[in-house]
Amino acid sequence: LYLKPSTPWNIVWGGLAGALPPLIGWTAITGSIAALPVVLVLLVFVWTPAHFWPLAINCRRDYAKACIPMLPCTHGIDRTRKEVLNYAILTWIVSMIPAFLTGDWIYGGIAWLSGAWFVGMALRLKALPEGQEMDQYARSMFAYSISYLFLLYTALILGKLVMGYGFF
């Protein structure tokens, strides 16, 4: 109720609440805190801006009409696209940490390839001239980002099943 109408960084700070479920679930089941769930919180936290700001670019006129200070409205399209790229790169980097923590090459390969694609999408979004094509592409990047996060979590499960590394 406070962040969305008061700051253009609402997605960054609001993303923390959405990032906590892996740690909450882990702690509820094991009664402890470990590196992997903390990294998963960090992953969702850094993914959220790269996920949501493309949608905000696409819907910027609606946010402006509603007087919601989303980044594309307050800082412009170019700044927002730069931040999307920065957060996409950071997401790709953080997404690789679980592979190093677990030694899971299946997850690592999937995370590397899907992260490279995500960064590539952010690069293309940044390069497109403002207009209808950019808006449609931003919407496509938003849609991909949902699948991207799902793919990463699925890859963790797949790696656990195939490689049998211990989470608990």
Side-chain angles (χ1 to χ4, degrees):
L1 293 174
Y2 174 75
L3 286 174
K4 187 148 299 230
S6 63
T7 174
W9 300 102
N10 50 30
I11 296 307
V12 176
W13 300 115
L16 183 57
L20 287 173
L23 182 60
I24 293 168
W26 181 284
T27 305
I29 291 171
T30 67
S32 65
I33 295 176
L36 184 59
V38 171
V39 170
L40 296 179
V41 169
L42 181 60
L43 175 62
V44 175
F45 179 71
V46 298
W47 165 85
T48 299
H51 156 70
F52 196 83
W53 279 330
L55 180 65
I57 288 171
N58 180 261
C59 299
R60 66 190 174 280
R61 292 167 197 86
D62 295 330
Y63 283 116
K65 285 179 192 173
C67 298
I68 304 290
M70 295 300 287
L71 194 63
C73 301
T74 61
H75 289 74
I77 301 297
D78 287 338
R79 171 69 184 273
T80 305
R81 293 189 291 188
K82 179 182 175 189
E83 294 297 337
V84 167
L85 178 58
N86 290 341
Y87 277 95
I89 292 167
L90 190 56
T91 300
W92 189 20
I93 292 166
V94 172
S95 77
M96 294 306 300
I97 297 172
F100 295 110
L101 289 175
T102 63
D104 182 350
W105 58 267
I106 294 171
Y107 169 83
I110 292 169
W112 196 92
L113 289 171
S114 59
W117 189 268
F118 193 45
V119 170
M121 290 188 83
L123 284 165
R124 180 163 183 233
L125 178 64
K126 189 172 184 309
L128 284 170
E130 284 189 42
Q132 186 175 356
E133 182 184 2
M134 180 203 66
D135 288 345
Q136 290 172 340
Y137 192 79
R139 184 76 146 190
S140 296
M141 185 174 177
F142 168 77
Y144 171 77
S145 69
I146 295 168
S147 300
Y148 170 54
L149 192 65
F150 177 78
L151 181 61
L152 291 176
Y153 276 81
T154 302
L156 275 174
I157 294 167
L158 180 64
K160 167 81 169 130
L161 293 173
V162 172
M163 299 191 68
Y165 54 84
F167 276 138
F168 303 103

